[in-house]
Amino acid sequence: MPIHTVQKAPSKTLVVAAFAALYIIWGSTYLAILIAVKNIPPFLMAGTRFVIAGLILYTWCRLHGQPTPDIKSIGHISFSGILLLFVGNSGLVWVEQYVPSGFAAIVIATVPLWFVILDKRQWEFHFANKKIVIGLLIGFAGVLSLFIGKSNVDFHNKMQRISFFVLVIGSISWATGSLYSRYNKSNGSNGMKAAIQMMAAGSLSLIIGMGSGELQQFSWSHVSAQSIMAVVYLITFGSLIGYMSFVWLMTVRPPSLVGTYAYVNPVVAVFLGWLIANEQITWHQVLALIIILAGVIIVNFSKEKIQQQ
C-alpha cells in the first residue's frame, strides 16, 4: 500500500521575512551598486560579489550535508543563473555608471509585466482577461512616458539611451530566468541552487570584465572605503539574504506574487538615491513610476481574483 506524504506548508513568519528582504534590502541594493561602481569596474565588481557569495553559500550547504546536484541539474541551474544574475543584474551594474539608480529601479519595476507576457503556459488565461490586458497596456505606457517631459536622464545621450535598452533587456532576462527555474525542475536544495547560480553568473562576469580590459583599469589605491563597504553589503544582504529569499519564495509562492517586490523596490531606490546620493527626482518620473505600478497592481490583482473564483 503506497504511503502518501503531506508536504508541510512553509512558515508564514518565514514567508513574511523573505518578502521583507526582497522589498527593503533589494530596494537598497541600487544605491549600494551606485556607490560600488564609482571606484570598481562593473563586471569585476558584479563577478566578485557573486563568486564570493556563491562560494560562501556552497560551502555552508556542503557543511550541512547538502549534496552537489548532478551535471544535468548544474547545467539547468547555471543557465537560469546567467539569465537572472549576469544579464539581469550585471547589466544593471553596468548601467548604473551612466544613469541614476532611481531611474534604473523605475524601469526594472516592469518585471512583473514581463512575467505575464513571457509565461507562455498561461497565455490563454492571461490574455483572455481584459483587466490583465489593460494593466499591461497601462504599465508599458508608463515606461513610454519616460521619453516625454522632464527627466534626469537625457535620451539624446548615446550611453544613457543604450542604458535604457540594457535595463529593458535585463528585465526581460530576469523574468525569463525566473520562469525557466520554475518550469525546469532540477535537483538540489534551494541554497545549493542559489550558490550555483551565483557562481555561474559571477564567473561569466569576471571573464567579461577581464576580457574587456577592466582589470587594467582597476587599482586598489583608488578604491574608497565606501565602495568596499558597498560590495560587502551586496554580498551579505543583497546576495546571501535577498537572493536566497527570492529563490525560496519562487518555490512556495506564484511568480506573479513574488514579483510584487517591484512595487516597493523602486520607491525605496528612488528615495535612497535622493536622500544619500543627491539624485534628482522629477515629478515626471514620479508620475511614470505611479503609472507603471498601477499597471502592475491591476495585472496581479486581476490574476489573483480570477484564480480565487
Side-chain angles (χ1 to χ4, degrees), residues 267-283:
V267 177
V268 173
V270 168
F271 174 73
L272 291 177
W274 167 78
L275 180 68
I276 298 176
N278 296 317
E279 292 181 350
Q280 180 187 9
I281 302 177
T282 67
W283 283 109

Side-chain angles (χ1 to χ4, degrees), residues 44-237:
L44 288 182
M45 192 282 286
T48 301
R49 167 193 175 183
F50 289 128
V51 167
I52 292 175
L55 286 172
I56 291 172
L57 187 55
Y58 178 80
T59 302
W60 184 89
C61 290
R62 293 296 292 135
L63 290 174
H64 285 76
Q66 298 177 17
T68 301
D70 57 272
I71 295 297
K72 184 178 180 181
S73 292
I74 290 176
H76 286 307
I77 297 167
S78 297
F79 181 67
S80 65
I82 288 170
L83 289 173
L84 286 161
L85 298 177
F86 175 71
V87 182
N89 197 278
S90 295
L92 168 65
V93 173
W94 180 85
V95 159
E96 288 204 37
Q97 298 176 105
Y98 305 106
V99 300
S101 60
F103 176 86
I106 291 173
V107 177
I108 292 177
T110 61
V111 165
L113 303 179
W114 292 113
F115 270 115
V116 173
I117 291 175
L118 297 171
D119 194 354
K120 187 177 180 180
R121 299 188 186 191
Q122 300 295 326
W123 277 358
E124 185 177 354
F125 166 75
H126 290 156
F127 295 109
N129 183 272
K130 292 181 180 178
K131 289 184 178 179
I132 291 178
V133 174
I134 290 171
L136 288 171
L137 293 174
I138 291 173
F140 287 117
V143 177
L144 292 175
S145 72
L146 289 171
F147 288 92
I148 306 169
K150 187 178 180 181
S151 173
N152 57 4
V153 171
D154 180 10
F155 287 103
H156 295 291
N157 180 290
K158 180 182 177 181
M159 296 311 299
Q160 292 195 334
R161 188 168 63 249
I162 291 173
S163 295
F164 171 79
F165 289 107
V166 170
L167 287 171
V168 172
I169 293 170
S171 301
I172 294 172
S173 184
W174 185 275
T176 302
S178 302
L179 293 169
Y180 180 87
S181 296
R182 187 169 185 84
Y183 291 132
N184 292 271
K185 300 300 181 182
S186 53
N187 297 324
S189 66
N190 293 328
M192 186 62 74
K193 289 177 182 178
I196 293 170
Q197 286 179 331
M198 286 190 281
M199 288 190 289
S203 297
L204 184 56
S205 292
L206 288 175
I207 291 170
I208 296 296
M210 289 185 285
S212 61
E214 285 188 352
L215 201 57
Q216 286 72 32
Q217 303 169 18
F218 177 72
S219 173
W220 274 110
S221 61
H222 296 151
V223 178
S224 66
Q226 289 86 352
S227 290
I228 294 175
M229 290 173 64
V231 174
V232 172
Y233 178 83
L234 289 168
I235 291 171
T236 54
F237 288 88

